Amino acid sequence: ALLAQRAAGSSAAPPPAPTSVAAGHVVGLAEDGGPRTAQDGSGDGACKKPHVVLILADDYGWGNLGVHRHFNRTEDQKQAQAEVHTPNLDHLVRHGVLLERHYAYKICSPSRSSLQSGRLAVHVNTVNTGVTYWNLGDNVSGFAGIPRNMTGIAQKMKEGGYKTHMVGKWDAGMATPQHTPLGRGYDTWLGYFQHANDYWNEGMPLASTGNLDICENRFVDFSLYNETYRGPVTKAIRKELGCEMCPGHLQIPNIKSQVNATGCNQLHNGSFSNYCLSDSCYEEAMFNHRALDIIQSHDTSHPLFLFYSFHLLHTPLQVPESYLSQLDRLVEESGGRPIDSANRRLYAAMVLYMDTMVGNLVAALEDRDMYRDTLIVFMADNGGPVYEPGSANNHPLKGGKYSDWEGGVRTNAFVSGGYVPADRRGEIFDGVVSIADWYATFSTIA
């Protein structure tokens, strides 16, 4: 298999993916938050370096996480509660430590640069600079993202003996090989470089980036990097990631997306027949497929560092139709009215999708008996966008993405997993935590 041949040090075909979790359902953990087959604090796991799964959500609204929807006294509160369905995230919070004052920067790239470098954004990168930017007078710091003379968090984990893998959004530089995930210490990476791309086409339509680049948005941003292959995700690789491309889908990158929000053809010029891409061709489905393969094939004699960087919930708001249908059913079952905003409905369905993918990760860790030795850290890169089409909800925080108010910089975050001491589970930590702090925290663990 192509992915197996290209994976460093691997000659076997990728193993079958673990059982996935149905949307709206929580994984089958024991009541104390530990794995079904392990006793907390016992066994070799207490003496080992933990596996670390770092999950970064994009543009996640404070009020779009279930544990932040406590109140249902008013009709508006009841409706908001009915629209938010995050059973897997809520379960991890209940059996972990909720970080209620976790702060990041107000926009994507600076937060991600801060996370990877361990520096506050003002000392590494404060703007969502276009990837083609180049200051001719500065070949160290004169590019988008992290200056190439800075050390990345994955480099520190590798020094500690970790196997380092990444899936998803990078947005921390791509001007030279040193700026890329491989240059920052990741053994493998499947994902995209820029702020966003199309979830179905992986191109750069105006709805994903909000601007017109010098290539007239004809760039497909979807790559696979490892020791033996560094290049685009081809149709053959997509197939190994579970995506059977529709024969009529030509993947034509352009200013306008080739398909609509649910992956159906929208070029009504008579040149193409009507079709809809399968759910497995949704970009996040391929990310999840790759992450499950990483967990399933991991040699547990080495600690794992997996950085799972969601595209969700960044624009463009796109999601499989099946999740819109499941969301509508869950809202109705929760006593809510049909969601009266198309964008808010899309965003809520994307939240449901993200929650399901996190459940899949936990199930895979359980299948490998890795969960009890795993530290899961979940956070968002900034507050949710409350402008159109962003459609997030940061209630009761003021403001949103791009603002310096708490709605823009105070993010959903928690730690969980079997490695969290049993006597700390279920706690709320109100101390201030910065997204930059995780570099030193993980370096100490490694």
Side-chain angles (χ1 to χ4, degrees):
L2 288 172
L3 285 179
Q5 293 170 357
R6 289 169 178 147
S10 174
S11 58
T19 304
S20 296
V21 177
H25 293 80
V26 71
V27 295
L29 298 179
E31 286 304 310
D32 63 357
R36 290 184 292 262
T37 57
Q39 294 180 351
D40 295 323
S42 64
D44 295 337
C47 301
K48 294 178 179 178
K49 294 180 181 180
H51 306 299
V52 177
V53 177
L54 171 60
I55 305 173
L56 183 64
D58 199 340
D59 289 4
Y60 194 11
W62 181 269
N64 296 108
L65 176 63
V67 297
H68 287 152
R69 284 297 178 186
H70 306 294
F71 304 109
N72 59 0
R73 291 191 291 265
T74 70
E75 289 302 313
D76 285 345
Q77 288 173 342
K78 291 177 182 178
Q79 179 65 23
Q81 194 176 71
E83 292 181 12
V84 176
H85 294 275
T86 55
N88 290 293
L89 294 176
D90 296 344
H91 190 85
L92 288 172
V93 168
R94 287 194 298 271
H95 299 288
V97 180
L98 181 62
L99 307 178
E100 283 290 75
R101 297 190 67 85
H102 184 275
Y103 290 90
Y105 199 68
K106 58 187 175 182
I107 51 177
C108 302
S109 185
S111 282
R112 293 161 187 275
S113 298
S114 183
L115 174 63
Q116 295 293 327
S117 69
R119 294 166 168 82
L120 294 175
V122 293
H123 297 301
V124 57
N125 173 28
T126 60
V127 291
N128 276 343
T129 308
V131 293
T132 56
Y133 178 83
W134 179 23
N135 178 357
L136 297 177
D138 185 355
N139 279 326
V140 175
S141 303
F143 305 96
I146 306 169
R148 60 186 185 181
N149 63 343
M150 293 183 181
T151 304
I153 192 171
Q155 292 168 272
K156 303 299 289 186
M157 301 302 281
K158 283 188 73 169
E159 290 174 7
Y162 278 77
K163 299 299 181 183
T164 58
H165 302 275
M166 177 183 171
V167 296
K169 175 177 175 176
W170 177 237
D171 202 16
M174 60 173 284
T176 72
Q178 292 167 288
H179 287 88
T180 68
L182 257 64
R184 297 298 182 191
Y186 291 96
D187 295 326
T188 70
W189 170 60
L190 172 74
Y192 63 97
F193 282 111
Q194 302 193 58
H195 309 315
N197 63 2
D198 189 276
Y199 286 86
W200 296 105
N201 210 41
E202 291 83 43
M204 307 298 297
L206 195 62
S208 67
T209 61
N211 59 18
L212 181 64
D213 62 34
I214 60 173
C215 299
E216 295 183 334
N217 296 51
R218 296 183 181 276
F219 179 51
V220 173
D221 192 357
F222 196 29
S223 301
L224 173 67
Y225 276 36
N226 55 45
E227 288 187 355
T228 58
Y229 179 81
R230 303 180 188 183
V233 175
T234 64
K235 285 188 177 182
I237 295 175
R238 288 169 190 273
K239 186 174 182 180
E240 292 192 18
L241 293 170
C243 171
E244 289 283 355
M245 294 289 287
C246 176
H249 185 69
L250 302 181
Q251 195 182 22
I252 304 171
N254 209 328
I255 295 173
K256 183 178 180 181
S257 177
Q258 185 178 345
V259 296
N260 64 14
T262 57
C264 295
N265 173 42
Q266 62 179 20
L267 292 181
H268 304 295
N269 58 7
S271 301
F272 303 95
S273 59
N274 292 329
Y275 64 87
C276 292
L277 296 173
S278 69
D279 289 8
S280 62
C281 290
Y282 188 56
E283 182 176 55
E284 289 288 0
M286 290 185 276
F287 289 162
N288 201 247
H289 190 287
R290 172 61 183 151
L292 299 184
D293 279 349
I294 289 169
I295 294 171
Q296 189 72 3
S297 61
H298 178 68
D299 178 356
T300 55
S301 65
H302 300 280
L304 169 68
F305 178 63
L306 172 60
F307 177 34
Y308 196 115
S309 179
F310 277 104
H311 183 176
L312 296 164
L313 306 147
H314 199 290
T315 52
L317 301 183
Q318 299 171 320
V319 72
E321 181 67 41
S322 61
Y323 275 78
L324 287 170
S325 299
Q326 291 178 61
L327 173 70
D328 292 342
R329 175 180 55 80
L330 290 168
V331 170
E332 181 179 7
E333 291 175 354
S334 301
R337 303 181 303 276
I339 300 176
D340 57 7
S341 161
N343 284 335
R344 199 170 83 243
R345 179 171 174 253
L346 285 166
Y347 188 96
M350 292 165 75
V351 171
L352 176 63
Y353 192 102
M354 179 176 69
D355 181 82
T356 306
M357 297 304 103
V358 172
N360 289 346
L361 293 181
V362 174
L365 292 167
E366 278 208 295
D367 287 349
R368 291 295 316 280
D369 198 23
M370 292 168 62
Y371 182 83
R372 65 175 176 176
D373 300 325
T374 297
L375 176 65
I376 298 173
V377 178
F378 179 96
M379 71 189 76
D381 61 348
N382 45 251
V386 293
Y387 48 79
E388 288 289 343
S391 301
N393 191 320
N394 297 315
H395 180 81
L397 306 182
K398 180 178 180 178
K401 181 180 180 180
Y402 283 101
S403 82
D404 292 319
W405 300 109
E406 290 225 323
V409 297
R410 186 175 171 185
T411 75
N412 294 316
F414 62 83
V415 296
S416 193
Y419 201 77
V420 174
D423 61 352
R424 298 302 302 274
R425 296 175 188 169
E427 292 187 356
I428 297 175
F429 181 67
D430 289 315
V432 173
V433 182
S434 167
I435 196 170
D437 292 337
W438 295 106
Y439 179 98
T441 301
F442 292 152
S443 295
T444 301
I445 291 173

